[in-house]
Amino acid sequence: VAAGFETTFAQCPDESSLRAAAAKLIGGSGEVTQLLKLMPQLPGDRRKELGQRANALKNAVQSAFDARLEGLARAARQAELDAPPIDPSLPGRGLARGALHPITRTIDALLDVFASIGFEVTDAPEIELADFNFTRLGFPPDHPATDMQDSFFVAGGEIGAPGVKRFEDQVLLRTHTSNAQVHEMSRRRTIPIACISAGKVFRRDDDATHSPMFHQIEGFWVDRGISFAHLKGVLTTFVKRMFGEQVPVRFRPSYFPFVEPGGELDVGCTICRPYDEPGSEAQRARTDACRVCKSTGWLEVLGCGMIHPVVFEHCGWDPKEVTGFAFGMGIDRIAMLRHNVGDIRLLYENDIRFLSQL
Ligand code: FA5
């Protein structure tokens, strides 16, 4: 019975054949198990002796099985360690591909349109003196935007810090890209000047349509004889290229300290006004229900106007010799419209599940 089990176990090449061989001996109906089941039928004096031997055999089989199982596991581990470290037959892990942020794509599209009209792309600082952000643009010192409540002043850059005695010497995060106008007009001495400048701006705002950091694009054109007609022509061309030929445009009067006259430009709501059926019943119903334009049918896109004579004087130009127009718009709003995003803050949470949908 059970002769040569050590040899049998040693010849088993893997765990499953070893387990099968052991089951033939010490499994539920294995040979050694059967033997043990016979014990109660033996006469008393033989039972003790044979019982001890059968149990010793069972323990020997179990120990041989355990030893071989451990030997097989050790050999498998050693084979793993001895194998080449890389398995070139495994499929590779895909690399996640990055993409430009929707705000960056919108900035690129806007700059492209103005560059194609002939505007030069320029940069202006995000950390700025109140002089360039407010004073030279003709903001009166008591204008609400100049207040601590509305703008982020840089620590150590407030009045009272070393070298900061006057309002205009204070340092703040720029509240709009209109500082680009001041830098370019103060730096350059030849006309024409036609520039476009995009970047981050900062205000103490925070809700679904206002973020403390957002993006603006500023454009301006200075030369002899620039008129409001040039402003309308350039901005209408821009809107048609950006939003489509059929989109309606309107100019409304508005106030900014650095332009006179000043205005705002609205485009027909891109959500509720399809332009093939203007004025129809169906379109009016859609506009009445539209939350994006608050049922007005119009979306405010930018502020604009003729550069104020005071700004020319502050930047070293004679307003009797040159005129110009300027405009500034919020880029985030345009990105929200292009991608139908309801909350501006989603654009800055960098959640890949959101961004990958745009
Ligand atoms: C200005 O900032 C002027 N500098 C624009 C200008 C330039 C007018 C040149 C005339 C000539 P305003 O404060 O309205 O204007 O801001 C312009 C746009 O920025 C707004 O229409 C809006 O789209 C966007 N905007 C303003 N505040 C926020 C905010 N907190 N979050 C996101 N977008 C904002």
Side-chain angles (χ1 to χ4, degrees):
V1 169
F5 61 85
E6 278 170 324
T7 319
T8 312
F9 286 177
Q11 283 166 354
C12 289
D14 54 30
E15 187 180 330
S16 69
S17 58
L18 174 65
R19 285 190 185 282
K24 281 191 189 144
L25 299 173
I26 52 175
S29 48
E31 288 178 28
V32 180
T33 313
Q34 301 288 4
L35 196 62
L36 284 163
K37 281 184 186 158
L38 288 177
M39 290 304 134
Q41 297 164 25
L42 293 177
D45 52 342
R46 301 233 45 215
R47 196 189 306 154
K48 190 175 174 212
E49 188 212 333
L50 282 174
Q52 278 172 349
R53 285 175 60 191
N55 266 320
L57 177 63
K58 184 185 165 209
N59 291 341
V61 172
Q62 183 69 48
S63 306
F65 168 78
D66 291 345
R68 177 66 184 145
L69 191 63
E70 205 193 308
L72 280 173
R74 224 181 301 117
R77 178 85 188 112
Q78 192 58 47
E80 246 174 51
L81 292 173
D82 293 344
I86 296 166
D87 179 355
S89 66
L90 284 176
R93 261 180 233 138
L95 278 184
R97 251 195 315 158
L100 291 177
H101 193 279
I103 295 283
T104 309
R105 295 207 305 268
T106 306
I107 291 178
D108 289 349
L110 291 164
L111 290 177
D112 265 4
V113 172
F114 284 107
S116 75
I117 301 174
F119 283 77
E120 184 186 332
V121 178
T122 60
D123 256 335
E126 288 173 2
I127 300 174
E128 189 53 288
L129 291 173
D131 194 20
F132 288 87
N133 194 81
F134 294 128
T135 312
R136 291 202 210 186
L137 286 164
F139 277 79
D142 56 354
H143 190 283
T146 63
D147 196 284
M148 287 287 187
Q149 306 307 312
D150 286 296
S151 305
F152 292 106
F153 284 83
V154 172
E158 314 98 323
I159 290 181
V164 187
K165 293 201 181 62
R166 306 170 309 159
F167 171 76
E168 49 267 47
D169 297 330
Q170 292 190 97
V171 185
L172 73 155
L173 303 183
R174 68 173 171 185
T175 59
H176 54 177
T177 43
S178 296
N179 67 333
Q181 278 182 51
V182 181
H183 279 284
E184 295 305 322
M185 285 203 281
S186 303
R187 193 167 67 79
R188 299 184 191 220
R189 300 281 36 112
T190 53
I191 45 174
I193 310 173
C195 297
I196 189 86
S197 187
K200 292 186 170 67
V201 302
F202 308 85
R203 293 183 193 177
R204 288 185 186 254
D205 288 337
D206 198 8
D207 62 40
T209 53
H210 294 82
S211 156
M213 184 281 294
F214 59 104
H215 297 80
Q216 282 189 346
I217 191 165
E218 182 90 3
F220 59 96
W221 185 356
V222 173
D223 203 347
R224 283 196 185 86
I226 297 288
S227 71
F228 205 86
H230 293 102
L231 178 156
K232 283 184 86 172
V234 166
L235 292 181
T236 308
T237 305
F238 154 71
V239 168
K240 304 273 173 193
R241 293 222 191 137
M242 195 70 194
F243 295 95
E245 271 303 314
Q246 286 159 293
V247 70
V249 183
R250 74 175 184 191
F251 287 85
R252 278 181 296 109
S254 184
Y255 172 76
F256 299 95
F258 37 94
V259 288
E260 180 58 37
E264 266 165 341
L265 180 151
D266 298 339
V267 299
C269 178
T270 46
I271 307 297
C272 69
R273 284 178 75 172
Y275 304 109
D276 48 357
E277 43 166 335
S280 71
E281 278 282 305
Q283 193 236 280
R284 262 199 305 277
R286 268 197 306 276
T287 299
D288 284 346
C290 184
R291 283 188 298 149
V292 173
C293 65
K294 302 201 177 83
S295 307
T296 60
W298 294 96
L299 297 167
E300 181 193 314
V301 171
L302 55 84
C304 58
M306 300 305 293
I307 297 174
H308 200 288
V310 155
V311 180
F312 281 122
E313 282 166 7
H314 288 160
C315 299
W317 290 89
D318 181 352
K320 287 192 228 52
E321 293 222 337
V322 293
T323 52
F325 69 78
F327 56 90
M329 73 185 103
I331 295 172
D332 314 66
R333 296 268 167 86
I334 295 185
M336 287 168 79
L337 284 177
R338 285 175 102 200
H339 300 293
N340 212 354
V341 175
D343 190 327
I344 192 169
R345 290 166 293 200
L346 285 170
L347 290 170
Y348 301 117
E349 283 169 0
N350 270 345
D351 186 333
I352 199 79
R353 291 168 303 177
F354 165 74
L355 292 175
S356 60
Q357 293 174 48
L358 303 185

